Amino acid sequence: MSLLEVEGLRTYFFTRRGVAKVLDGLNFSLAEGQIVGLVGETGSGKSVTGFSILRLVQRPGKIVGGQIRFAGRDLLKLSEAEMARLRGRDIAMIFQNPRMALNPLISVGRFLSHVIRYRAGISGGRVREEALRLLREVQIPDPERRLSSYPHQLSGGMAQRVMIAAAVAARPRLLIADEPTTGLDVTVQAQIVRLLKRLRDETGTAQILITHDLGLASEVCDAIAVMYAGEIVEFGPTASVFQSPKHPYTQGLLASRPKLGDTGEIPALPGSVPDLTNPPTGCRFHPRCPYAFDRCARERPAPRPVGDGRVAACFLYEEGDDA
Ligand code: SF4
């Protein structure tokens, strides 16, 4: 059984310019212990997916439809109090810019102690012991000394390790990592990625890795969900998605990814992500798609199986066609 099943999720933003349909019928699932990479250009709805799962979408955003089933419970039907109990304990999230998330006036030890007491329910003398164990688990050197460090005394990589330690304190069943390596140097990025993977191997925590970095996703993820303009256009095992991408958007994304030695974001594909207050009719990718034909502007393609355990939302794969 899946740990998480997202079905027809719609999250809209009610802006002065109109209603931005940032997630418009999102479907995907995640098994226990699986790492799924949510990839796509900036503005595709990746982060909003993470916030929606945790029901932390801020106004003017609102979840307007769909289901998010986690361990058999529909999160959209839970009371706010039930949801608050679940956050941090069963589902945790880490963000980019970890130093911004840490209070500059609170030491690492005090921060972790609070998290351990509140989320893991540990008290008394065992709190410090647990804080040290967590710092060792995320491979922070000299953990005794780090307990008394303040955020400004930590490197970006160290601060992210502290955030990961806090996130896994209660042994969550699902960890959502939103661009966890952005702003870190390449060596530290690799260390954080290996750390996330090791945590999964050792604790069985399922993960959603939200990233624009395809190299990172290919290294750590079991499956890839490619997002475009609020929809998942292709989903499947990492190796097959990377070796033979089916959806034209995935093909374009992979063709334009930085080659060895390049740094920075994925170079933009021709055209840009559409304005979601006025998205294209039919297939949202049709204005940028080299294979678009008449029907693409009229009808929205449904996700369909395309072999190798994959699904793609594209008319090119109807009734056994293969592009
Ligand atoms: Fe391109 Fe049409 Fe497929 Fe959309 S449905 S990706 S426009 S071929």
Side-chain angles (χ1 to χ4, degrees):
M1 196 181 92
S2 298
L3 175 66
L4 178 78
E5 285 175 303
V6 175
E7 234 181 79
L9 180 64
R10 288 179 292 129
T11 302
Y12 292 177
F13 283 71
F14 297 84
T15 71
R16 263 190 239 145
R17 288 183 48 244
V19 180
K21 297 177 177 176
V22 175
L23 300 182
D24 201 19
L26 199 73
N27 299 293
F28 75 99
S29 62
L30 180 79
E32 294 269 6
Q34 190 181 30
I35 305 182
V36 168
L38 217 49
V39 306
E41 293 162 289
T42 301
S44 55
K46 305 185 298 294
S47 295
V48 174
T49 302
F51 286 112
S52 297
I53 292 168
L54 279 167
R55 277 183 38 194
L56 287 175
V57 176
Q58 302 287 316
R59 288 206 314 171
K62 192 170 181 223
I63 297 173
V64 297
Q67 287 190 334
I68 304 171
R69 278 191 299 278
F70 174 76
R73 302 166 85 192
D74 186 349
L75 299 187
L76 300 184
K77 295 209 170 108
L78 297 187
S79 67
E80 191 41 55
E82 286 172 312
M83 200 59 214
R85 273 197 295 278
L86 197 124
R87 281 187 210 111
R89 292 196 176 116
D90 297 295
I91 308 177
M93 190 161 177
I94 54 171
F95 304 91
Q96 55 179 296
N97 299 328
R99 261 188 291 215
M100 302 277 286
L102 290 165
N103 185 328
L105 302 176
I106 293 181
S107 69
V108 169
R110 219 175 122 205
F111 168 64
L112 283 180
S113 299
H114 174 78
V115 170
I116 290 164
R117 276 194 203 98
Y118 174 70
R119 290 189 194 156
I122 294 172
S123 56
R126 286 180 52 226
V127 172
R128 181 183 158 83
E129 204 181 292
E130 181 63 7
L132 286 170
R133 190 193 66 76
L134 285 169
L135 290 182
R136 282 190 203 104
E137 186 161 294
V138 297
Q139 297 170 326
I140 286 197
D142 201 355
E144 298 263 357
R145 189 164 69 89
R146 281 301 164 205
L147 282 182
S148 50
S149 297
Y150 284 82
H152 72 274
Q153 296 169 311
L154 305 175
S155 65
M158 201 85 83
Q160 191 56 289
R161 283 167 200 268
V162 170
M163 293 310 294
I164 294 172
V168 299
R171 297 267 176 246
R173 293 172 78 181
L174 172 61
L175 175 66
I176 302 172
D178 187 1
E179 305 277 8
T181 62
T182 300
L184 303 178
D185 75 45
V186 179
T187 319
V188 181
Q189 284 186 14
Q191 291 167 356
I192 296 288
V193 165
R194 270 185 238 121
L195 171 62
L196 290 172
K197 198 166 180 181
R198 188 173 61 76
L199 285 173
R200 187 280 304 270
D201 293 344
E202 288 174 5
T203 65
T205 301
Q207 297 174 21
I208 296 175
L209 175 65
I210 296 171
T211 182
H212 61 259
D213 187 334
L214 293 171
L216 193 81
S218 70
E219 206 180 312
V220 72
C221 299
D222 304 307
I224 298 289
V226 182
M227 279 195 81
Y228 184 76
E231 303 168 344
I232 288 175
V233 295
E234 180 161 356
F235 183 87
T238 304
S240 50
V241 170
F242 275 80
Q243 273 157 26
S244 65
K246 296 289 187 189
H247 195 281
Y249 177 62
T250 316
Q251 291 168 359
L253 208 55
L254 286 171
S256 65
R257 79 175 152 151
K259 307 293 179 294
L260 200 63
D262 291 349
T263 54
E265 293 214 357
I266 300 167
L269 295 165
S272 54
V273 174
D275 172 4
L276 295 177
T277 58
N278 186 21
T281 54
C283 171
R284 286 185 168 183
F285 188 56
H286 87 260
R288 300 171 77 184
C289 180
Y291 306 106
F293 51 102
D294 288 352
R295 187 181 173 194
C296 302
R298 287 195 314 267
E299 289 176 44
R300 192 169 167 183
R304 65 196 78 232
V306 290
D308 301 333
R310 269 191 287 172
V311 291
C314 173
F315 292 128
L316 295 176
Y317 299 99
E318 273 198 335
E319 288 163 26
D321 290 350
D322 205 350

